[in-house]
Amino acid sequence: MNDTAQHHPTDSDRVTFPRLMTPAEVQQLLGKSKAWLDRSRLEGNGPPYVKIGRTVRYRADDVAAWLNGNVRASTWENRE
């Protein structure tokens, strides 16, 4: 028997990585400026982001969840 037999990946072996969006893609999607997105990262009130070294990326699922969490039916909701 050959000990160097090749392993052929199956569907259960595959890792699914999240779609990563650039800040420019998120800006375009939200219709917001670079300054707004930069400020939201600093203040912690925008979509969650990932740092890869010095690079900022947004997971598409996180952006969608953030958007869904900001749905309002009136201007009086969640006032503090």
Side-chain angles (χ1 to χ4, degrees), residues 6-17:
Q6 289 186 0
H7 174 75
H8 296 286
T10 64
D11 286 340
S12 63
D13 292 333
R14 294 195 179 121
V15 175
T16 303
F17 289 97

Side-chain angles (χ1 to χ4, degrees), residues 24-63:
E25 290 173 316
V26 175
Q27 291 164 30
Q28 184 176 14
L29 175 72
L30 300 178
K32 293 292 192 177
S33 68
K34 179 184 182 311
W36 182 90
L37 201 57
D38 292 346
R39 190 171 49 255
S40 74
R41 281 196 307 273
L42 179 67
E43 295 173 356
N45 57 8
Y49 65 96
V50 177
K51 285 282 291 224
I52 305 166
R54 298 172 80 183
T55 303
V56 172
R57 290 293 181 262
Y58 294 84
R59 293 183 296 199
D61 290 344
D62 288 342
V63 175

